[in-house]
Amino acid sequence: MEGNGTDKIFMRFSFVYFSFLLLGALAIFGIIREQFLTKDRITTDDIYKEQVIEPTRGSILACDGSPLAVSIPVFELRWDSFVVADSSFAAGIDSLSRCLSGLFGDKTPRQYRKELTAARADTNRYKRIGSRNVDFGELEKIKSFPIFRLGQFKGGLRVIQGSERINPYGTLANRTIGSVNAVGQGAGIELTYNFKLSGKEGMQTVHRALGDEWLPVNGAPAYPAEDGVDIRTTIDVRIQEAAETELRAQLAMSDVFEGGTAIIMDVSTGAVRGIANMFKRKDGTFDETYNYAFGHATEPGSTLKLAALISLIEDGYVTLDTEVDGGNGEWRYGGIRITDTHRGGYGKMTAKTAFEKSSNIAFAKMITGAYENDPAAYISRLHNMKLVEKLNLDIGGEAYSYIISPSDNTWSASTLASLGYGYAIMLTPLHILTFYNAVANGGKMMRPYFIEDFERDGIPVETAGPTVVSGSICSRSTLRDVQEALRGVVVDGTAKICNDPRYAIAGKTGTARVAVNGRYEDEHGYRRYQASFAGYFPADSPKYSCIVVLYTGPTRGNFYGATWAAPVFKRIADKIYTAHPEWNPALSSAGASPADNPSIAAGLAGESGMPVDYMPMKHRPRTKGMGWIRIEEGKEGGIPAVSSIELEQGVVPDVSGMGLKDALYLLENEGYRVRYSGAGRVTAQTPAAGTSLGKGEMITLTLK
């Protein structure tokens, strides 16, 4: 009896002992597995991580500081269905579906309800909401929607901030501004200067907090992001608008045209003030997908007669009064037939008249008569005038230009004559304009450029600016002669349509057939043309040079520069003339600020201050680090008064006197949407400053 009891006690003790031993072994094994064998164990990477701080992309500005391309904050919406309580979901799903349908307009309320219900059934914690990103104003509305208004941890709304590139002027200068995608492909300024616009990423250490929120670690090393620089271009918004409007209007007049370009340059510097490229789609609308301006080289036709005339006069073969026989309108040389458009020909005339009438025969005869025994001398003269010099533009896409030389296997018995009236040479419209601009600029050839400087907070950190290609393309006497001849084209020649009693225009028309696969006419008699006009104004004191080139599709008709391109030039010049203060007297000088007390725009004074901090003024205010400020004119020539611009949540701030970039930045960061008209500084705003206004509402600005 006693033995059996002792055995039972021993067995029970042994069972308990081995059970605890087994549990201990299992615990030790679990620790070892979790510590050394499990791949999904929690590590420091689950608690701490390095977070990239994205920089703000720099803006692209017009020459007056107006924004051509800016980055604005946008928000991607995601929904964590797991955190929403059943009662909250049931009570709000119908209303939420209606709100989302009304905002995005891409699905019916029923479709939204079905999607959200399916996401909840699948416990989707990262459901995309809406078909697009939203702006700040829309985000504020969305945060007030049913379910979402409960917040991230009860309503499940997750917001991912990003940025979006916009052009406040729509498609204006779209080709020049360009674009760049995530893999570095694109065009224009955005691509060429992507490395400057992008800035540099920053880095900070963050740790996971309650609610899956990542917060910066105090005391850990952090490297702030360096925002991209702003790029101030040479583009004048008013001139750019005139070029695009008039070019588009002319191309729309005939279905034969497939595209064209218009370029306006500042004569003294070479700054490109406007550049339009228009390609006509099949549906009749236009875009800037093709770079005609400097990415498309063709035989220019009669606009090149300017180079021929300079060479002939410079080398002493002709004067403007030299007589040349245009004959009956037809002449054969080197196996080709050369014709003039005037029926019956021009007969005998002076070299100046031949230029004004654009006689192909006269120029073919003059060039062959002068250089037939030494054609290389003529080619050398064209090269010396930098006619086909690579422009080395500050944005990419320049096409290759060249002249056929006697040593080339494509040189023939007729090539020299063809060169006399604009064939056997390939040039882009910008090359031709650069040459005409040199004639307008007293013989000095300037390199065309698009970038004025690179800026931070309005302060230039790197300046580009003008570059001289050639100090003089010819002698002063030759220059005076060809300037007289260019003016004669408008007064007495093929471009009379451009003559204007208010201001003088000088220039040259051009018409050329475009070779396709080496042929100027196909087997069905169809041809392609380019009609052009290149010149400058005012002729007596040139300020701007301009070229317009229109390109046709296959046609059996004739399209001339005088008929189609010259009117575009004239309308662009008229718009520039009427808007230019130098050519129109000021209405009144009353109230003008003295030279040492200029009117200064309101704006943001960052750590670098504002431009006024660097102006050569006797009495200069100090603005560094003062935030949003306004600078009023000083009394009796004293130091201008600096005052802060008060910001109050839900109250419209006063942006009067600001440039558009500063006004947009301030108002959009306060949560308002903005539309505007005009250029310059803000002169009026609706609703007025001080008005109580909810986020997401619209504010209208007027600039002058």
PDB file of all heavy atoms in Angstrom, residues 12 18 39 68 126 158 209 232 301 338 377 413 449 452 461 477 484 501 529 645 648 660 685:
ATOM      1  N   ARG A  12       3.900  11.462 -10.287  1.00  0.00           N
ATOM      2  CA  ARG A  12       3.306  12.788 -10.464  1.00  0.00           C
ATOM      3  C   ARG A  12       4.390  13.879 -10.418  1.00  0.00           C
ATOM      4  O   ARG A  12       4.380  14.836 -11.204  1.00  0.00           O
ATOM      5  CB  ARG A  12       2.281  13.043  -9.366  1.00  0.00           C
ATOM      6  CG  ARG A  12       1.008  12.198  -9.539  1.00  0.00           C
ATOM      7  CD  ARG A  12       0.078  12.394  -8.346  1.00  0.00           C
ATOM      8  NE  ARG A  12      -1.104  11.567  -8.481  1.00  0.00           N
ATOM      9  CZ  ARG A  12      -2.026  11.438  -7.543  1.00  0.00           C
ATOM     10  NH1 ARG A  12      -1.864  12.070  -6.368  1.00  0.00           N
ATOM     11  NH2 ARG A  12      -3.090  10.662  -7.739  1.00  0.00           N
ATOM     12  N   PHE A  18       9.195  17.074 -15.606  1.00  0.00           N
ATOM     13  CA  PHE A  18       9.506  17.005 -17.046  1.00  0.00           C
ATOM     14  C   PHE A  18       8.648  17.973 -17.865  1.00  0.00           C
ATOM     15  O   PHE A  18       9.066  18.458 -18.925  1.00  0.00           O
ATOM     16  CB  PHE A  18       9.352  15.567 -17.550  1.00  0.00           C
ATOM     17  CG  PHE A  18      10.491  14.678 -17.155  1.00  0.00           C
ATOM     18  CD1 PHE A  18      10.314  13.664 -16.221  1.00  0.00           C
ATOM     19  CD2 PHE A  18      11.763  14.868 -17.697  1.00  0.00           C
ATOM     20  CE1 PHE A  18      11.377  12.848 -15.845  1.00  0.00           C
ATOM     21  CE2 PHE A  18      12.826  14.058 -17.332  1.00  0.00           C
ATOM     22  CZ  PHE A  18      12.631  13.040 -16.402  1.00  0.00           C
ATOM     23  N   LYS A  39      13.214  35.133 -40.083  1.00  0.00           N
ATOM     24  CA  LYS A  39      13.617  36.211 -40.989  1.00  0.00           C
ATOM     25  C   LYS A  39      12.791  37.474 -40.774  1.00  0.00           C
ATOM     26  O   LYS A  39      13.213  38.568 -41.097  1.00  0.00           O
ATOM     27  CB  LYS A  39      13.465  35.746 -42.446  1.00  0.00           C
ATOM     28  CG  LYS A  39      14.417  34.624 -42.813  1.00  0.00           C
ATOM     29  CD  LYS A  39      14.260  34.247 -44.275  1.00  0.00           C
ATOM     30  CE  LYS A  39      15.240  33.135 -44.661  1.00  0.00           C
ATOM     31  NZ  LYS A  39      15.095  32.728 -46.069  1.00  0.00           N
ATOM     32  N   LEU A  68       6.608  80.964 -65.761  1.00  0.00           N
ATOM     33  CA  LEU A  68       6.231  80.178 -66.943  1.00  0.00           C
ATOM     34  C   LEU A  68       6.003  78.720 -66.572  1.00  0.00           C
ATOM     35  O   LEU A  68       5.199  78.030 -67.205  1.00  0.00           O
ATOM     36  CB  LEU A  68       7.324  80.278 -68.012  1.00  0.00           C
ATOM     37  CG  LEU A  68       7.591  81.669 -68.585  1.00  0.00           C
ATOM     38  CD1 LEU A  68       8.759  81.624 -69.568  1.00  0.00           C
ATOM     39  CD2 LEU A  68       6.352  82.232 -69.268  1.00  0.00           C
ATOM     40  N   TYR A 126      -4.642  50.135 -48.478  1.00  0.00           N
ATOM     41  CA  TYR A 126      -3.956  51.123 -49.310  1.00  0.00           C
ATOM     42  C   TYR A 126      -4.753  51.388 -50.579  1.00  0.00           C
ATOM     43  O   TYR A 126      -4.215  51.510 -51.669  1.00  0.00           O
ATOM     44  CB  TYR A 126      -2.559  50.622 -49.655  1.00  0.00           C
ATOM     45  CG  TYR A 126      -1.534  51.723 -49.808  1.00  0.00           C
ATOM     46  CD1 TYR A 126      -1.244  52.577 -48.746  1.00  0.00           C
ATOM     47  CD2 TYR A 126      -0.860  51.915 -51.004  1.00  0.00           C
ATOM     48  CE1 TYR A 126      -0.310  53.584 -48.877  1.00  0.00           C
ATOM     49  CE2 TYR A 126       0.087  52.919 -51.142  1.00  0.00           C
ATOM     50  CZ  TYR A 126       0.358  53.747 -50.068  1.00  0.00           C
ATOM     51  OH  TYR A 126       1.291  54.750 -50.194  1.00  0.00           O
ATOM     52  N   ARG A 158      -5.537  58.470 -45.813  1.00  0.00           N
ATOM     53  CA  ARG A 158      -4.090  58.696 -45.825  1.00  0.00           C
ATOM     54  C   ARG A 158      -3.758  59.648 -46.967  1.00  0.00           C
ATOM     55  O   ARG A 158      -4.241  59.478 -48.086  1.00  0.00           O
ATOM     56  CB  ARG A 158      -3.329  57.388 -46.004  1.00  0.00           C
ATOM     57  CG  ARG A 158      -3.470  56.420 -44.829  1.00  0.00           C
ATOM     58  CD  ARG A 158      -2.557  55.229 -45.005  1.00  0.00           C
ATOM     59  NE  ARG A 158      -2.570  54.347 -43.843  1.00  0.00           N
ATOM     60  CZ  ARG A 158      -1.737  53.317 -43.688  1.00  0.00           C
ATOM     61  NH1 ARG A 158      -0.830  53.057 -44.619  1.00  0.00           N
ATOM     62  NH2 ARG A 158      -1.803  52.554 -42.608  1.00  0.00           N
ATOM     63  N   ALA A 209       6.539  56.088 -34.481  1.00  0.00           N
ATOM     64  CA  ALA A 209       5.789  56.472 -33.290  1.00  0.00           C
ATOM     65  C   ALA A 209       4.446  55.748 -33.289  1.00  0.00           C
ATOM     66  O   ALA A 209       4.138  54.972 -34.202  1.00  0.00           O
ATOM     67  CB  ALA A 209       5.586  57.981 -33.262  1.00  0.00           C
ATOM     68  N   ARG A 232      15.591  82.396 -64.912  1.00  0.00           N
ATOM     69  CA  ARG A 232      14.952  83.538 -65.587  1.00  0.00           C
ATOM     70  C   ARG A 232      15.315  83.471 -67.068  1.00  0.00           C
ATOM     71  O   ARG A 232      16.490  83.528 -67.435  1.00  0.00           O
ATOM     72  CB  ARG A 232      15.408  84.867 -64.995  1.00  0.00           C
ATOM     73  CG  ARG A 232      14.652  86.077 -65.573  1.00  0.00           C
ATOM     74  CD  ARG A 232      15.188  87.374 -65.002  1.00  0.00           C
ATOM     75  NE  ARG A 232      14.941  87.480 -63.585  1.00  0.00           N
ATOM     76  CZ  ARG A 232      13.854  88.044 -63.043  1.00  0.00           C
ATOM     77  NH1 ARG A 232      12.918  88.548 -63.843  1.00  0.00           N
ATOM     78  NH2 ARG A 232      13.705  88.107 -61.744  1.00  0.00           N
ATOM     79  N   GLY A 301      15.997  79.564 -99.611  1.00  0.00           N
ATOM     80  CA  GLY A 301      15.467  80.351-100.714  1.00  0.00           C
ATOM     81  C   GLY A 301      15.942  81.790-100.661  1.00  0.00           C
ATOM     82  O   GLY A 301      17.065  82.091-100.232  1.00  0.00           O
ATOM     83  N   ILE A 338      16.454  78.260-114.669  1.00  0.00           N
ATOM     84  CA  ILE A 338      16.227  79.214-113.577  1.00  0.00           C
ATOM     85  C   ILE A 338      15.172  80.205-114.038  1.00  0.00           C
ATOM     86  O   ILE A 338      15.239  80.743-115.150  1.00  0.00           O
ATOM     87  CB  ILE A 338      17.529  79.943-113.209  1.00  0.00           C
ATOM     88  CG1 ILE A 338      18.608  78.928-112.811  1.00  0.00           C
ATOM     89  CG2 ILE A 338      17.294  80.934-112.073  1.00  0.00           C
ATOM     90  CD1 ILE A 338      19.987  79.526-112.663  1.00  0.00           C
ATOM     91  N   ALA A 377      36.002  80.746-103.267  1.00  0.00           N
ATOM     92  CA  ALA A 377      36.097  82.075-102.660  1.00  0.00           C
ATOM     93  C   ALA A 377      34.733  82.515-102.128  1.00  0.00           C
ATOM     94  O   ALA A 377      34.640  83.150-101.066  1.00  0.00           O
ATOM     95  CB  ALA A 377      36.622  83.082-103.674  1.00  0.00           C
ATOM     96  N   ALA A 413      27.617  71.378-111.818  1.00  0.00           N
ATOM     97  CA  ALA A 413      27.826  72.577-112.629  1.00  0.00           C
ATOM     98  C   ALA A 413      26.843  73.690-112.278  1.00  0.00           C
ATOM     99  O   ALA A 413      27.113  74.870-112.531  1.00  0.00           O
ATOM    100  CB  ALA A 413      27.696  72.223-114.112  1.00  0.00           C
ATOM    101  N   TYR A 449      20.282  83.509 -77.346  1.00  0.00           N
ATOM    102  CA  TYR A 449      20.272  82.814 -76.061  1.00  0.00           C
ATOM    103  C   TYR A 449      18.895  82.927 -75.414  1.00  0.00           C
ATOM    104  O   TYR A 449      18.100  83.824 -75.732  1.00  0.00           O
ATOM    105  CB  TYR A 449      21.367  83.352 -75.131  1.00  0.00           C
ATOM    106  CG  TYR A 449      21.182  84.757 -74.613  1.00  0.00           C
ATOM    107  CD1 TYR A 449      20.684  84.986 -73.328  1.00  0.00           C
ATOM    108  CD2 TYR A 449      21.521  85.861 -75.386  1.00  0.00           C
ATOM    109  CE1 TYR A 449      20.535  86.271 -72.837  1.00  0.00           C
ATOM    110  CE2 TYR A 449      21.372  87.147 -74.908  1.00  0.00           C
ATOM    111  CZ  TYR A 449      20.877  87.349 -73.637  1.00  0.00           C
ATOM    112  OH  TYR A 449      20.722  88.630 -73.169  1.00  0.00           O
ATOM    113  N   GLU A 452      18.668  84.188 -69.048  1.00  0.00           N
ATOM    114  CA  GLU A 452      19.283  85.406 -68.526  1.00  0.00           C
ATOM    115  C   GLU A 452      20.147  85.101 -67.305  1.00  0.00           C
ATOM    116  O   GLU A 452      21.302  85.514 -67.233  1.00  0.00           O
ATOM    117  CB  GLU A 452      18.207  86.424 -68.135  1.00  0.00           C
ATOM    118  CG  GLU A 452      17.455  87.024 -69.310  1.00  0.00           C
ATOM    119  CD  GLU A 452      18.252  88.076 -70.064  1.00  0.00           C
ATOM    120  OE1 GLU A 452      19.449  88.250 -69.778  1.00  0.00           O
ATOM    121  OE2 GLU A 452      17.663  88.718 -70.955  1.00  0.00           O
ATOM    122  N   VAL A 461      22.394  84.066 -58.876  1.00  0.00           N
ATOM    123  CA  VAL A 461      23.569  83.352 -58.377  1.00  0.00           C
ATOM    124  C   VAL A 461      24.508  82.978 -59.531  1.00  0.00           C
ATOM    125  O   VAL A 461      25.657  82.607 -59.298  1.00  0.00           O
ATOM    126  CB  VAL A 461      23.155  82.083 -57.608  1.00  0.00           C
ATOM    127  CG1 VAL A 461      22.386  82.450 -56.351  1.00  0.00           C
ATOM    128  CG2 VAL A 461      22.318  81.139 -58.482  1.00  0.00           C
ATOM    129  N   SER A 477      30.567 100.280 -94.950  1.00  0.00           N
ATOM    130  CA  SER A 477      29.988 100.779 -96.200  1.00  0.00           C
ATOM    131  C   SER A 477      29.074  99.731 -96.824  1.00  0.00           C
ATOM    132  O   SER A 477      27.985 100.054 -97.320  1.00  0.00           O
ATOM    133  CB  SER A 477      31.099 101.183 -97.181  1.00  0.00           C
ATOM    134  OG  SER A 477      31.928 100.058 -97.482  1.00  0.00           O
ATOM    135  N   GLU A 484      20.059  99.636 -96.821  1.00  0.00           N
ATOM    136  CA  GLU A 484      19.227 100.401 -97.762  1.00  0.00           C
ATOM    137  C   GLU A 484      18.419  99.458 -98.653  1.00  0.00           C
ATOM    138  O   GLU A 484      17.229  99.698 -98.913  1.00  0.00           O
ATOM    139  CB  GLU A 484      20.117 101.308 -98.614  1.00  0.00           C
ATOM    140  CG  GLU A 484      19.353 102.132 -99.644  1.00  0.00           C
ATOM    141  CD  GLU A 484      20.280 102.938-100.553  1.00  0.00           C
ATOM    142  OE1 GLU A 484      21.434 103.200-100.143  1.00  0.00           O
ATOM    143  OE2 GLU A 484      19.846 103.288-101.666  1.00  0.00           O
ATOM    144  N   PRO A 501       3.581 103.853 -91.937  1.00  0.00           N
ATOM    145  CA  PRO A 501       4.033 105.240 -91.724  1.00  0.00           C
ATOM    146  C   PRO A 501       4.480 105.524 -90.298  1.00  0.00           C
ATOM    147  O   PRO A 501       5.196 106.495 -90.056  1.00  0.00           O
ATOM    148  CB  PRO A 501       2.787 106.067 -92.092  1.00  0.00           C
ATOM    149  CG  PRO A 501       1.630 105.137 -91.873  1.00  0.00           C
ATOM    150  CD  PRO A 501       2.139 103.775 -92.245  1.00  0.00           C
ATOM    151  N   TYR A 529       6.443  73.676-100.144  1.00  0.00           N
ATOM    152  CA  TYR A 529       7.039  75.001-100.105  1.00  0.00           C
ATOM    153  C   TYR A 529       7.316  75.435 -98.665  1.00  0.00           C
ATOM    154  O   TYR A 529       6.688  74.951 -97.717  1.00  0.00           O
ATOM    155  CB  TYR A 529       6.100  76.041-100.728  1.00  0.00           C
ATOM    156  CG  TYR A 529       5.984  75.979-102.227  1.00  0.00           C
ATOM    157  CD1 TYR A 529       4.990  75.213-102.831  1.00  0.00           C
ATOM    158  CD2 TYR A 529       6.843  76.698-103.047  1.00  0.00           C
ATOM    159  CE1 TYR A 529       4.858  75.161-104.211  1.00  0.00           C
ATOM    160  CE2 TYR A 529       6.730  76.660-104.429  1.00  0.00           C
ATOM    161  CZ  TYR A 529       5.731  75.885-105.008  1.00  0.00           C
ATOM    162  OH  TYR A 529       5.620  75.842-106.368  1.00  0.00           O
ATOM    163  N   ILE A 645       3.530  91.931 -43.603  1.00  0.00           N
ATOM    164  CA  ILE A 645       2.197  91.592 -44.112  1.00  0.00           C
ATOM    165  C   ILE A 645       1.588  90.590 -43.142  1.00  0.00           C
ATOM    166  O   ILE A 645       2.120  89.496 -42.943  1.00  0.00           O
ATOM    167  CB  ILE A 645       2.271  91.016 -45.529  1.00  0.00           C
ATOM    168  CG1 ILE A 645       2.816  92.070 -46.499  1.00  0.00           C
ATOM    169  CG2 ILE A 645       0.912  90.511 -45.989  1.00  0.00           C
ATOM    170  CD1 ILE A 645       3.026  91.568 -47.911  1.00  0.00           C
ATOM    171  N   GLU A 648      -3.467  85.838 -41.263  1.00  0.00           N
ATOM    172  CA  GLU A 648      -4.417  85.310 -40.286  1.00  0.00           C
ATOM    173  C   GLU A 648      -5.216  84.206 -40.953  1.00  0.00           C
ATOM    174  O   GLU A 648      -5.755  84.403 -42.062  1.00  0.00           O
ATOM    175  CB  GLU A 648      -5.339  86.423 -39.801  1.00  0.00           C
ATOM    176  CG  GLU A 648      -6.315  85.970 -38.725  1.00  0.00           C
ATOM    177  CD  GLU A 648      -7.201  87.115 -38.252  1.00  0.00           C
ATOM    178  OE1 GLU A 648      -6.904  88.283 -38.591  1.00  0.00           O
ATOM    179  OE2 GLU A 648      -8.193  86.834 -37.582  1.00  0.00           O
ATOM    180  N   LEU A 660       3.512  88.100 -59.600  1.00  0.00           N
ATOM    181  CA  LEU A 660       2.610  86.943 -59.644  1.00  0.00           C
ATOM    182  C   LEU A 660       3.173  85.750 -58.888  1.00  0.00           C
ATOM    183  O   LEU A 660       2.445  85.039 -58.190  1.00  0.00           O
ATOM    184  CB  LEU A 660       2.338  86.556 -61.102  1.00  0.00           C
ATOM    185  CG  LEU A 660       1.396  85.368 -61.309  1.00  0.00           C
ATOM    186  CD1 LEU A 660       0.044  85.637 -60.673  1.00  0.00           C
ATOM    187  CD2 LEU A 660       1.248  85.056 -62.785  1.00  0.00           C
ATOM    188  N   GLN A 685      -7.503  92.672 -56.128  1.00  0.00           N
ATOM    189  CA  GLN A 685      -7.808  91.301 -55.759  1.00  0.00           C
ATOM    190  C   GLN A 685      -9.252  91.215 -55.282  1.00  0.00           C
ATOM    191  O   GLN A 685      -9.768  92.115 -54.633  1.00  0.00           O
ATOM    192  CB  GLN A 685      -6.857  90.794 -54.682  1.00  0.00           C
ATOM    193  CG  GLN A 685      -6.892  91.567 -53.365  1.00  0.00           C
ATOM    194  CD  GLN A 685      -5.871  91.065 -52.365  1.00  0.00           C
ATOM    195  OE1 GLN A 685      -4.719  91.484 -52.385  1.00  0.00           O
ATOM    196  NE2 GLN A 685      -6.298  90.163 -51.487  1.00  0.00           N
TER     197      GLN A 685
END
